[in-house]
Amino acid sequence: MKLNKPFLAIYLAFNLAEASKTPDCISGPLAKTLACDTTASPPARAAALVQALNITEKLVNLVEYVKSREAPLGISIQLITPHSMSLGAERIGLPAYAWWNEALHGVAASPGVSFNQAGQEFSHATSFANTITLAAAFDNDLVYEVADTISTEARAFSNAELAGLDYWTPNINPYKDPRWGRGHEVCYLSLLFRAVQLLRTQKTPGEDPVHIKGYVQALLEGLEGRDKIRKVIATCKHFAAYDLERWQGALRYRFNAVVTSQDLSEYYLQPFQQCARDSKVGSFMCSYNALNGTPACASTYLMDDILRKHWNWTEHNNYITSDCNAIQDFLPNFHNFSQTPAQAAADAYNAGTDTVCEVPGYPPLTDVIGAYNQSLLSEEIIDRALRRLYEGLIRAGYLDSASPHPYTKISWSQVNTPKAQALALQSATDGIVLLKNNGLLPLDLTNKTIALIGHWANATRQMLGGYSGIPPYYANPIYAATQLNVTFHHAPGPVNQSSPSTNDTWTSPALSAASKSDIILYLGGTDLSIAAEDRDRDSIAWPSAQLSLLTSLAQMGKPTIVARLGDQVDDTPLLSNPNISSILWVGYPGQSGGTALLNIITGVSSPAARLPVTVYPETYTSLIPLTAMSLRPTSARPGRTYRWYPSPVLPFGHGLHYTTFTAKFGVFESLTINIAELVSNCNERYLDLCRFPQVSVWVSNTGELKSDYVALVFVRGEYGPEPYPIKTLVGYKRIRDIEPGTTGAAPVGVVVGDLARVDLGGNRVLFPGKYEFLLDVEGGRDRVVIELVGEEVVLEKFPQPPAAG
């Protein structure tokens, strides 16, 4: 979502952030109308509410207008808030509503969310590990528990009229290139004159569609709940083919993503299909970029042909919001799709966008009034958009102020509970990936002195990562060491400075701290100054000043541990350095990141997480431009992701343990399967969801420490269109608490759609052939070949784009 061109810091006063108020359905003007009748259907109630609005009121609720803007049609808009809102209609008792609420990994700072003063109720919310770290746990049950806790806290804020009911999360664009600045969704708070500085970047669950789909399914179930009333409304974003910010002259606001039907169907749209067709999420957000010549927020192909018709995303009359100021980008200076603001507004709403987010400072705003006055936008389309928006809120209980539903009773007592704090710690711990270990870890720190060196040793906001709120505390590495009564020496470190530097203030203190210590713990990596929203990377190497300092520290001959925050970088210099004992990646671990890290280092917890992305060599960035959307290799360019790139520094799914395991597949029902019988015995509405005969995994702990184990099941083979992928993830399962000398077993769910290949037209086809099932990543722990026989079957026929794109 846009805060700037090129970058804007928005300051939101804590007590001035306007949360959404609830309409009075007890004694207000709406009380006796069908809109407040809880026995009526949500579509009927929404239609009644929209019918009660006059055209002027309708128009000022299509766009979230900004402070002090004068509305057309002679209506003065007076807002007490520094951000945009849908204005409501005082005449009928419909309050203004702020649609922009955030809860990526906890209730977060955003225009619709208000935090109270420190020491008061609702002054903070639990901050879990950010998306990319949580996804590295490869545990859908954990994702559900985190999301369920987030939505409970979000409901508490909403019930106190400190937040709305809709949340613009999750970000599920596949993370195919490490240079993308928004591969992690980051927003942090700067406490300056009691204001919130909102800086944004988002982390996605990773690069693999099957993994992202599993994450999304669990997350949405936790956020939206399992009840008839939605707990909150989640928003899947950014639809679609969005993974570029600002790179070597290419700008997301004017970028045209040229994507084949094959790549679109197979890769870019798979997580969104999970959201829409299978999880029936309440809301989508269309993205800044164009897709094959048409801005996403003006694309009937994306929003109608695929989303609403092909995926049947119509069951609940769901709505689409634009990314912020995206409709402005239709204009000649950017996509050059629409020539006037009025035409841009008409193009967006007629195509299926239902509400537009506007950020102050970048006129012209979306001109829905002009579009209506010029007969470019009909009242029928206006009503359609408003019915979708308000039906969404009604399904979340927006007009049920007198309802006894348990969601309405959630209060401050259910925010940041001891259970939530423990879950925040677990989300960080379970997502830490052990990349290298020469036997040093786990480490007994008794009578040891540690050097805590680096820019996140004493971090606060840095640990939170994206779209963050105000946590109850920051348990950073220094705090964690203090809690362990460990003697330590601290020195800060560089982030992105050049090396050598004329202003080197870090090397001398770091070497001094290390010289007085038995063990060196270097806490470095990237942060928002290196990669963020509107800021892509050119280099994926370790920042030069950090690498220089690390080299000097390692030369001291002391055990050296590296704990890397943030994005992936080329770890080759550290992996090949025998003086670097261990490397751990923590991503953005949330409020308890330091405690989680020390628990892993000392063996209180055993690492079992896996990399959710490929770690590429530094030279990769010179071989393929970030603007290229293709995935398969060509004679001129390498492929992308583990499916198509053959020589990573560390592969997708890499992760070491403190113990040793043997793992094997359970007995397959048959090694030969008839495709026709497999499909005919399926009762699923969509053939790609048909279950493959059960795949099970048996894991024995042959070492000396209790540990979890993440079973990753891949498939490879020469069937379907060439080129053939190196391998494809088809299922995963985290098996917990396997004691030494014992065996854990678990089924791994596999559906035939994930075994299928996608042809040039985007159709998903199950082909006959030999399918080699592989267990685990490097080399594979076990292999079984299953042969599918008979005729190929088209599981999904993909809608073809219009001839003009």
Side-chain angles (χ1 to χ4, degrees):
M1 289 163 292
K2 185 183 312 181
L3 284 183
N4 59 348
K5 294 177 181 179
F7 203 81
L8 169 69
I10 290 182
Y11 293 90
L12 305 173
F14 287 173
N15 292 328
L16 290 182
E18 177 68 19
S20 299
K21 303 298 188 289
T22 302
D24 183 356
C25 273
I26 299 175
S27 57
L30 289 172
K32 302 301 182 182
T33 69
L34 184 63
C36 284
D37 183 356
T38 57
T39 66
S41 69
R45 296 173 70 187
L49 178 60
V50 173
Q51 188 175 9
L53 299 170
N54 60 42
I55 186 59
T56 301
E57 293 163 338
K58 290 176 182 178
L59 289 169
V60 297
N61 282 286
L62 283 179
V63 179
E64 298 195 53
Y65 286 92
V66 298
K67 181 183 180 184
S68 74
R69 174 170 164 79
E70 290 297 314
L73 301 185
I75 293 191
S76 176
I77 301 172
Q78 295 183 359
L79 298 179
I80 62 169
T81 61
H83 62 82
S84 54
M85 297 188 70
S86 179
L87 300 180
E90 185 177 358
R91 179 182 62 85
I92 65 168
L94 181 67
Y97 183 83
W99 293 90
W100 185 352
N101 302 272
E102 297 286 358
L104 180 71
H105 62 115
V107 178
S110 45
V113 175
S114 178
F115 287 90
N116 286 334
Q117 293 273 9
Q120 298 179 3
E121 293 186 350
F122 296 101
S123 59
H124 56 263
T126 310
S127 181
F128 298 90
N130 213 310
T131 304
I132 195 73
T133 301
L134 180 58
F138 281 84
D139 188 343
N140 294 347
D141 293 335
L142 176 62
V143 173
Y144 170 80
E145 292 296 331
V146 168
D148 183 50
T149 305
I150 290 171
S151 60
T152 294
E153 297 194 3
R155 264 287 177 167
F157 273 77
S158 178
N159 291 340
E161 296 194 332
L162 295 170
L165 288 168
D166 74 296
Y167 289 84
W168 289 356
T169 193
N171 175 5
I172 58 170
N173 298 104
Y175 187 17
K176 75 174 187 297
D177 194 296
R179 289 168 288 185
W180 183 27
R182 205 172 184 178
H184 59 271
E185 190 90 271
V186 174
C187 130
Y188 74 78
L189 304 172
S190 177
L191 304 185
L192 177 63
F193 304 113
R194 295 178 57 231
V196 180
Q197 184 179 10
L198 191 62
L199 304 180
R200 306 186 308 164
T201 301
Q202 293 189 354
K203 193 58 106 178
T204 79
E207 71 180 41
D208 180 76
V210 170
H211 181 214
I212 299 173
K213 286 192 297 183
Y215 181 97
V216 166
Q217 180 180 18
L219 188 85
L220 293 181
E221 188 174 1
L223 288 176
E224 296 200 328
R226 297 166 170 167
D227 208 319
K228 182 178 180 181
I229 294 178
R230 277 197 172 102
K231 201 173 180 186
V232 300
I233 305 165
T235 302
C236 288
K237 61 186 184 184
H238 309 80
F239 191 58
Y242 170 63
D243 59 3
L244 178 142
E245 302 297 306
R246 181 183 298 270
W247 182 82
Q248 297 188 5
L251 189 65
R252 60 181 174 166
Y253 313 124
R254 61 171 62 100
F255 178 62
N256 178 33
V258 178
V259 186
T260 66
S261 292
Q262 185 177 42
D263 282 340
L264 190 65
S265 171
E266 179 182 64
Y267 190 71
Y268 292 102
L269 292 187
Q270 279 299 293
F272 293 100
Q273 178 177 280
Q274 176 64 51
C275 282
R277 191 193 71 179
D278 303 329
S279 293
K280 306 183 191 308
V281 70
S283 174
F284 262 58
M285 177 182 285
C286 52
S287 56
Y288 289 125
N289 59 282
L291 175 67
N292 296 329
T294 303
C297 293
S299 174
T300 55
Y301 176 61
L302 276 177
M303 295 190 289
D304 193 46
D305 294 347
I306 293 177
L307 177 56
R308 289 194 163 106
K309 291 176 181 174
H310 182 57
W311 291 340
N312 296 307
W313 195 61
T314 55
E315 180 177 343
H316 289 163
N317 204 21
N318 307 289
Y319 65 85
I320 300 173
T321 180
S322 79
D323 208 334
C324 292
N325 293 15
I327 309 310
Q328 294 179 24
D329 298 334
F330 293 8
L331 298 176
N333 286 344
F334 296 95
H335 291 305
N336 195 25
F337 184 81
S338 309
Q339 297 306 300
T340 68
Q343 184 64 59
D347 288 338
Y349 285 98
N350 288 330
T353 302
D354 300 308
T355 185
V356 172
C357 169
E358 295 284 6
V359 170
Y362 297 98
L365 300 178
T366 302
D367 188 8
V368 292
I369 307 298
Y372 175 76
N373 287 341
Q374 297 170 39
S375 299
L376 302 172
L377 181 61
S378 69
E379 189 167 4
E380 179 183 5
I381 295 298
I382 292 168
D383 287 355
R384 180 186 72 179
L386 292 171
R387 286 196 301 270
R388 288 170 174 169
L389 291 165
Y390 286 112
E391 183 178 329
L393 289 180
I394 287 167
R395 289 187 179 278
Y398 182 60
L399 294 179
D400 299 348
S401 54
S403 170
H405 194 279
Y407 290 162
T408 66
K409 310 302 180 186
I410 297 174
S411 66
W412 171 245
S413 65
Q414 290 171 264
V415 176
N416 189 41
T417 62
K419 182 179 178 181
Q421 293 178 12
L423 191 61
L425 175 60
Q426 182 186 355
S427 71
T429 306
D430 288 357
I432 292 176
V433 184
L434 181 62
L435 304 179
K436 174 184 179 180
N437 188 27
N438 66 1
L440 177 68
L441 300 182
L443 188 61
D444 183 356
L445 294 179
T446 304
N447 299 321
K448 298 288 196 308
T449 300
I450 310 176
L452 298 178
I453 299 170
H455 65 79
W456 77 277
N458 201 26
T460 53
R461 297 178 297 274
Q462 285 171 289
M463 296 193 303
L464 303 185
Y467 278 76
S468 306
I470 303 174
Y473 50 77
Y474 297 99
N476 59 34
I478 283 182
Y479 169 85
T482 302
Q483 294 299 109
L484 291 175
N485 294 317
V486 173
T487 301
F488 64 87
H489 301 284
H490 169 234
V495 183
N496 199 26
Q497 294 89 336
S498 60
S499 180
S501 172
T502 57
N503 189 31
D504 184 344
T505 59
W506 52 84
T507 299
S508 180
L511 294 177
S512 175
S515 68
K516 295 180 286 188
S517 304
D518 302 309
I519 297 159
I520 299 169
L521 174 54
Y522 181 79
L523 301 137
T526 66
D527 71 359
L528 296 181
S529 67
I530 295 174
E533 181 171 356
D534 212 21
R535 183 184 300 142
D536 294 319
R537 290 191 285 172
D538 285 318
S539 172
I540 57 173
W542 264 89
S544 60
Q546 292 195 50
L547 186 57
S548 177
L549 177 58
L550 259 173
T551 302
S552 297
L553 291 170
Q555 288 174 347
M556 300 180 73
K558 299 187 177 186
T560 301
I561 305 163
V562 177
R564 177 156 55 75
L565 193 76
D567 279 321
Q568 300 298 336
V569 292
D570 182 354
D571 283 316
T572 300
L574 308 188
L575 293 167
S576 61
N577 187 336
N579 296 321
I580 302 292
S581 307
S582 304
I583 307 172
L584 301 116
W585 174 70
V586 301
Y588 289 95
Q591 68 186 38
S592 296
T595 302
L597 175 65
L598 267 294
N599 282 351
I600 290 287
I601 287 174
T602 59
V604 171
S605 302
S606 294
R610 305 296 190 107
L611 283 175
V613 292
T614 298
V615 178
Y616 296 90
E618 180 183 358
T619 54
Y620 167 86
T621 60
S622 65
L623 301 177
I624 184 169
L626 185 56
T627 50
M629 301 299 290
S630 59
L631 295 162
R632 288 162 175 78
T634 68
S635 58
R637 295 174 179 174
R640 282 187 160 118
T641 80
Y642 73 94
R643 296 185 74 223
W644 306 106
Y645 186 79
S647 51
V649 173
L650 291 171
F652 168 88
H654 174 81
L656 305 178
H657 304 87
Y658 287 161
T659 189
T660 55
F661 290 105
T662 59
K664 63 179 181 179
F665 288 116
V667 177
F668 283 79
E669 294 179 11
S670 174
L671 298 182
T672 302
I673 297 174
N674 184 279
I675 293 176
E677 292 178 3
L678 179 63
V679 173
S680 64
N681 291 332
C682 172
N683 295 319
E684 295 288 343
R685 180 179 180 183
Y686 303 104
L687 291 180
D688 59 286
L689 295 180
C690 295
R691 289 284 172 181
F692 190 76
Q694 180 172 308
V695 178
S696 59
V697 174
W698 294 76
V699 182
S700 299
N701 186 339
T702 57
E704 299 178 354
L705 293 174
K706 180 175 73 174
S707 178
D708 297 352
Y709 178 85
V710 172
L712 301 175
V713 177
F714 298 90
V715 162
R716 70 181 177 195
E718 295 184 356
Y719 46 85
E722 296 186 38
Y724 306 120
I726 298 167
K727 60 183 176 182
T728 300
L729 184 74
V730 295
Y732 61 91
K733 180 72 175 181
R734 186 167 180 137
I735 306 172
R736 290 196 169 271
D737 298 326
I738 306 174
E739 296 282 353
T742 67
T743 298
V748 179
V750 176
V751 297
V752 297
D754 295 331
L755 293 172
R757 297 290 310 286
V758 174
D759 66 19
L760 294 177
N763 305 306
R764 192 165 291 268
V765 183
L766 187 61
F767 291 96
K770 293 183 178 180
Y771 290 66
E772 185 179 14
F773 283 73
L774 308 172
L775 180 56
D776 216 332
V777 182
E778 293 145 310
R781 293 179 182 270
D782 195 12
R783 303 162 187 249
V784 173
V785 175
I786 305 292
E787 186 171 10
L788 299 189
V789 298
E791 297 296 320
E792 65 188 55
V793 172
V794 177
L795 303 176
E796 177 193 14
K797 191 160 184 63
F798 190 66
Q800 295 305 294

Tab-separated table of all heavy atoms in Angstrom, residues 223-242:
chain	number	residue	atom	x	y	z
A	223	LEU	N	-8.189	-15.914	11.388
A	223	LEU	CA	-8.617	-14.513	11.380
A	223	LEU	C	-10.136	-14.383	11.284
A	223	LEU	O	-10.766	-13.656	12.061
A	223	LEU	CB	-7.966	-13.774	10.215
A	223	LEU	CG	-6.473	-13.476	10.308
A	223	LEU	CD1	-5.984	-12.832	9.023
A	223	LEU	CD2	-6.152	-12.574	11.504
A	224	GLU	N	-10.723	-15.074	10.312
A	224	GLU	CA	-12.149	-14.870	10.066
A	224	GLU	C	-13.033	-15.767	10.921
A	224	GLU	O	-14.231	-15.515	11.055
A	224	GLU	CB	-12.453	-15.079	8.589
A	224	GLU	CG	-11.756	-14.048	7.712
A	224	GLU	CD	-12.378	-13.898	6.340
A	224	GLU	OE1	-12.908	-14.903	5.806
A	224	GLU	OE2	-12.338	-12.790	5.801
A	225	GLY	N	-12.450	-16.794	11.510
A	225	GLY	CA	-13.202	-17.631	12.432
A	225	GLY	C	-13.966	-18.739	11.742
A	225	GLY	O	-14.013	-18.851	10.514
A	226	ARG	N	-14.589	-19.560	12.550
A	226	ARG	CA	-15.330	-20.716	12.051
A	226	ARG	C	-16.830	-20.564	12.283
A	226	ARG	O	-17.593	-21.520	12.181
A	226	ARG	CB	-14.832	-21.977	12.756
A	226	ARG	CG	-13.354	-22.292	12.469
A	226	ARG	CD	-12.811	-23.322	13.422
A	226	ARG	NE	-11.481	-23.799	13.018
A	226	ARG	CZ	-10.679	-24.512	13.792
A	226	ARG	NH1	-11.064	-24.831	15.036
A	226	ARG	NH2	-9.496	-24.902	13.351
A	227	ASP	N	-17.248	-19.343	12.586
A	227	ASP	CA	-18.634	-19.081	12.939
A	227	ASP	C	-19.371	-18.480	11.757
A	227	ASP	O	-18.772	-18.052	10.774
A	227	ASP	CB	-18.688	-18.117	14.134
A	227	ASP	CG	-19.941	-18.316	14.968
A	227	ASP	OD1	-21.010	-18.505	14.375
A	227	ASP	OD2	-19.843	-18.270	16.207
A	228	LYS	N	-20.692	-18.395	11.886
A	228	LYS	CA	-21.513	-17.756	10.857
A	228	LYS	C	-21.169	-16.285	10.750
A	228	LYS	O	-21.141	-15.709	9.650
A	228	LYS	CB	-22.996	-17.942	11.191
A	228	LYS	CG	-23.940	-17.353	10.154
A	228	LYS	CD	-25.389	-17.619	10.539
A	228	LYS	CE	-26.343	-17.038	9.503
A	228	LYS	NZ	-27.756	-17.269	9.877
A	229	ILE	N	-20.920	-15.644	11.881
A	229	ILE	CA	-20.472	-14.254	11.891
A	229	ILE	C	-18.960	-14.246	11.752
A	229	ILE	O	-18.261	-14.974	12.465
A	229	ILE	CB	-20.891	-13.540	13.192
A	229	ILE	CG1	-22.414	-13.413	13.247
A	229	ILE	CG2	-20.248	-12.164	13.310
A	229	ILE	CD1	-22.931	-12.753	14.513
A	230	ARG	N	-18.453	-13.422	10.857
A	230	ARG	CA	-17.003	-13.341	10.702
A	230	ARG	C	-16.396	-12.674	11.925
A	230	ARG	O	-16.883	-11.659	12.406
A	230	ARG	CB	-16.640	-12.531	9.454
A	230	ARG	CG	-16.664	-13.331	8.173
A	230	ARG	CD	-15.914	-12.616	7.061
A	230	ARG	NE	-15.774	-13.455	5.897
A	230	ARG	CZ	-16.504	-13.352	4.789
A	230	ARG	NH1	-17.425	-12.419	4.710
A	230	ARG	NH2	-16.309	-14.166	3.767
A	231	LYS	N	-15.300	-13.245	12.378
A	231	LYS	CA	-14.606	-12.662	13.525
A	231	LYS	C	-14.007	-11.323	13.133
A	231	LYS	O	-14.180	-10.316	13.818
A	231	LYS	CB	-13.526	-13.629	14.013
A	231	LYS	CG	-13.080	-13.407	15.454
A	231	LYS	CD	-12.137	-14.527	15.863
A	231	LYS	CE	-11.656	-14.346	17.293
A	231	LYS	NZ	-10.622	-15.357	17.634
A	232	VAL	N	-13.237	-11.297	12.031
A	232	VAL	CA	-12.858	-10.068	11.351
A	232	VAL	C	-12.903	-10.376	9.861
A	232	VAL	O	-13.005	-11.521	9.452
A	232	VAL	CB	-11.448	-9.559	11.741
A	232	VAL	CG1	-11.353	-9.282	13.228
A	232	VAL	CG2	-10.363	-10.524	11.294
A	233	ILE	N	-12.834	-9.333	9.039
A	233	ILE	CA	-12.765	-9.511	7.588
A	233	ILE	C	-11.302	-9.405	7.182
A	233	ILE	O	-10.660	-8.386	7.406
A	233	ILE	CB	-13.571	-8.427	6.858
A	233	ILE	CG1	-15.009	-8.395	7.353
A	233	ILE	CG2	-13.529	-8.663	5.344
A	233	ILE	CD1	-15.756	-7.135	6.945
A	234	ALA	N	-10.774	-10.469	6.606
A	234	ALA	CA	-9.398	-10.451	6.114
A	234	ALA	C	-9.386	-9.985	4.662
A	234	ALA	O	-10.394	-10.042	3.961
A	234	ALA	CB	-8.771	-11.831	6.244
A	235	THR	N	-8.220	-9.527	4.217
A	235	THR	CA	-8.059	-9.006	2.857
A	235	THR	C	-6.822	-9.631	2.226
A	235	THR	O	-5.704	-9.397	2.693
A	235	THR	CB	-7.901	-7.472	2.868
A	235	THR	OG1	-9.039	-6.882	3.494
A	235	THR	CG2	-7.756	-6.924	1.456
A	236	CYS	N	-7.015	-10.399	1.173
A	236	CYS	CA	-5.869	-10.985	0.465
A	236	CYS	C	-5.333	-9.976	-0.543
A	236	CYS	O	-6.083	-9.430	-1.353
A	236	CYS	CB	-6.280	-12.278	-0.223
A	236	CYS	SG	-6.573	-13.636	0.937
A	237	LYS	N	-4.031	-9.746	-0.495
A	237	LYS	CA	-3.420	-8.731	-1.342
A	237	LYS	C	-2.033	-9.219	-1.784
A	237	LYS	O	-1.480	-10.142	-1.175
A	237	LYS	CB	-3.310	-7.410	-0.574
A	237	LYS	CG	-2.447	-7.487	0.702
A	237	LYS	CD	-2.498	-6.192	1.471
A	237	LYS	CE	-1.568	-6.277	2.672
A	237	LYS	NZ	-1.654	-5.072	3.521
A	238	HIS	N	-1.516	-8.675	-2.864
A	238	HIS	CA	-2.001	-7.622	-3.752
A	238	HIS	C	-2.282	-8.298	-5.076
A	238	HIS	O	-1.373	-8.881	-5.674
A	238	HIS	CB	-0.971	-6.529	-3.909
A	238	HIS	CG	-0.446	-6.021	-2.593
A	238	HIS	ND1	0.527	-6.691	-1.869
A	238	HIS	CD2	-0.764	-4.927	-1.852
A	238	HIS	CE1	0.799	-6.022	-0.756
A	238	HIS	NE2	0.026	-4.943	-0.714
A	239	PHE	N	-3.493	-8.219	-5.569
A	239	PHE	CA	-4.008	-8.980	-6.698
A	239	PHE	C	-3.777	-8.190	-7.986
A	239	PHE	O	-4.450	-7.184	-8.200
A	239	PHE	CB	-5.501	-9.239	-6.461
A	239	PHE	CG	-6.145	-10.222	-7.369
A	239	PHE	CD1	-5.674	-11.521	-7.464
A	239	PHE	CD2	-7.253	-9.859	-8.120
A	239	PHE	CE1	-6.295	-12.437	-8.287
A	239	PHE	CE2	-7.880	-10.775	-8.949
A	239	PHE	CZ	-7.410	-12.058	-9.037
A	240	ALA	N	-2.830	-8.550	-8.833
A	240	ALA	CA	-2.007	-9.768	-8.823
A	240	ALA	C	-0.729	-9.476	-9.596
A	240	ALA	O	-0.616	-8.445	-10.247
A	240	ALA	CB	-2.745	-10.929	-9.459
A	241	ALA	N	0.233	-10.431	-9.507
A	241	ALA	CA	1.545	-10.340	-10.163
A	241	ALA	C	2.293	-9.096	-9.714
A	241	ALA	O	2.914	-8.396	-10.511
A	241	ALA	CB	1.392	-10.358	-11.686
A	242	TYR	N	2.272	-8.859	-8.410
A	242	TYR	CA	2.909	-7.672	-7.837
A	242	TYR	C	4.145	-8.089	-7.057
A	242	TYR	O	4.046	-8.769	-6.044
A	242	TYR	CB	1.909	-6.969	-6.918
A	242	TYR	CG	2.486	-5.859	-6.061
A	242	TYR	CD1	3.034	-4.735	-6.650
A	242	TYR	CD2	2.444	-5.927	-4.676
A	242	TYR	CE1	3.549	-3.701	-5.876
A	242	TYR	CE2	2.946	-4.909	-3.893
A	242	TYR	CZ	3.510	-3.800	-4.494
A	242	TYR	OH	4.019	-2.773	-3.731
